[in-house]
Amino acid sequence: MATQGVLGAATLKEFEDGLHGELIRPGDGAYDEARSIWNGAHDARPTVIARCADAADVRHAIGFARSEGLDVAVRGGSHSIPGFSTCDEGIVIDLSPMKGIKVDVSARTATAEGGVIWEEFDAATQEHGLATTGGLVSTTGVAGFTLGGGIGWLKRKHGLACDNLRSAEVVTADGQILTASRAENPDLLWGLRGGGGNFGVVTSFELDLHPVGPTVAAGPVFYPGDRAKEVMRFYREFVKTVPDELTTFANLLTAPPAPFLPEEWHGKKLVAVAGCYSGDPEDGMKAFQPIRDLGDPVADLVGPMPYVQMQSLFDALWPKGTNAYMKAGYFRELDDHAIETIARFHQNATSPSSEIHIHHFGGAIARVDEDETACGERQAPFVLNTIAATHEPTGLETHIDWAQRFYAEIEPSLTGGAYINFLSSEGEDRVKAAYGTEKFARLRALKDRYDPTNLFHLNQNIPPS
Ligand SMILES: Cc1cc2nc3c(=O)[nH]c(=O)nc-3n(C[C@H](O)[C@H](O)[C@H](O)COP(=O)(O)OP(=O)(O)OC[C@H]3O[C@@H](n4cnc5c(N)ncnc54)[C@H](O)[C@@H]3O)c2cc1C
């Protein structure tokens, strides 16, 4: 790996002169902010950060990385939990300045550049009463989120984000700028729909839009944590009856000191069911009713609200700099063993910021053929995500240990697969398990074609053969 010293001032100057965007290196005033990513657990020091202005910059940066033998990290919204969007030494190809969004109202599509985050995307599309499946936290990047699948509030009605990916502009490892669509390079489009950042740097995403809101029935209902088993048993039956419009997840958490929760509950265990109904708000309120009828909630925040408000409701709980780790899987079924294990580990969580999420799947996700996209296990009833997190500077290891012990105990209720966007840095076998043997082989063939030297390896990596 090259370092700045080895690169030399003249080499860097030449690279910088060819860049329309900004080059940031150690010693620059902007370096510390520019090198930081969402997950505070990763404190890497890249040799250079190329803040790209356009696809030509991305091509220029890729050429530079190849000629200098630099490690390459690619950054959209910087929310990679395993920290793949930064590196020690090497180059960060940072697309965050690329903020262009074009909404085509009549075609019901939006084209977003690689640095757009969901907050920006939703603001642009909701002006027209349109939306596509975006992240549950609005600061997440469209790029990494869509390439890894994309679980959000509209998923049961409109599919995963990657199901809505109509076309993409991609800069490949050899510097070509390609379109991936059903008409051009359809194999590449298939790989981008869930295959992560393995095949090139995506400079723009064309996504399908759907009429949503602007007002939706949405929100969470919180119950005391000691009712977790009762709420989870209710939840597994309730979801069997819900229409596709209603997307929900169950969240086992410790009450944050948030103004929407009664003060006497701050710091205590809670179990929440949160959802969003992407249809008529009145119908939505009816669909939510059984969740609210469980009785004696700690707080019931379900009501009509702007879709963009629901999209950002949890933002404040997940600020940049949080130290975090995820351990995730797909449920085979939410059986009694799983519910008992969830309730027990909820109670003994080592950090008040750690949470257990159970995302209901089905609906539009399950109607897409398994082999239509690279993404995961579409027939799974639920996705499990265990988030070990702390806002303290130390202690993450203890919380990771909690998450791993929980996973080990709940494993018999899981399929053995994993959802790419919630995967930590867990090695090739876990990536293989995430895709399954057939898809992994197909992805590997694609990797051989588009990135045979594995230039893009800081990701859930599919190594070339
Ligand atoms: C607070 C928080 C909330 C989250 N909520 C959800 C959620 O609701 N649903 C869900 O599905 N996931 C969620 N995630 C996981 C998230 O989807 C992934 O971490 C995703 O990779 C983030 O994308 P990004 O662009 O922000 O991240 P980045 O860190 O910028 O990118 C992550 C990886 O994606 C690849 N990549 C990024 N941009 C490009 C590009 N332009 N071209 C090629 N490859 C690229 C690279 O391999 C990169 O390392 C959440 C994560 C966090 C931290």
Side-chain angles (χ1 to χ4, degrees), residues 37-39 73-86 93 95 114-117 134-137 139-152 192 196-205 318-319 324 326 359 385 419-422 456 458-460:
I37 61 168
W38 180 88
N39 191 351
V74 180
R75 185 180 301 170
S78 97
H79 278 46
S80 166
I81 289 288
F84 290 139
S85 42
T86 188
I93 299 180
L95 277 70
V116 172
I117 62 171
L136 304 181
V137 171
T139 54
T140 312
V142 169
F145 178 90
T146 303
L147 295 171
I151 288 181
L192 297 177
N198 273 285
F199 310 110
V201 180
V202 181
T203 44
S204 82
F205 295 79
W318 299 104
M326 288 178 179
H359 299 268
N385 192 14
Y419 168 55
I420 283 293
N421 275 346
F422 295 160
F456 304 113
L458 292 174
N459 45 39
Q460 298 299 352

Side-chain angles (χ1 to χ4, degrees), residues 59 62 170-178 201 449-450:
R59 175 160 51 187
I62 288 174
V170 188
V171 188
T172 53
D174 60 2
Q176 291 186 72
I177 301 184
L178 299 180
V201 180
R449 180 156 167 213
Y450 289 104

Side-chain angles (χ1 to χ4, degrees), residues 237-296:
E237 298 308 315
F238 167 70
V239 294
K240 290 178 186 162
T241 66
V242 299
D244 289 355
E245 281 79 4
L246 186 61
T247 293
T248 57
F249 83 114
N251 182 5
L252 295 101
L253 71 160
T254 304
F260 53 79
L261 292 170
E263 220 176 304
E264 65 272 23
W265 279 92
H266 292 178
K268 300 205 172 116
K269 300 289 178 210
L270 295 177
V271 53
V273 179
C276 178
Y277 186 92
S278 52
D280 179 76
E282 262 183 48
D283 295 341
M285 291 308 290
K286 284 181 203 142
F288 266 103
Q289 202 55 45
I291 302 174
R292 315 177 78 197
D293 283 348
L294 278 172
D296 300 322

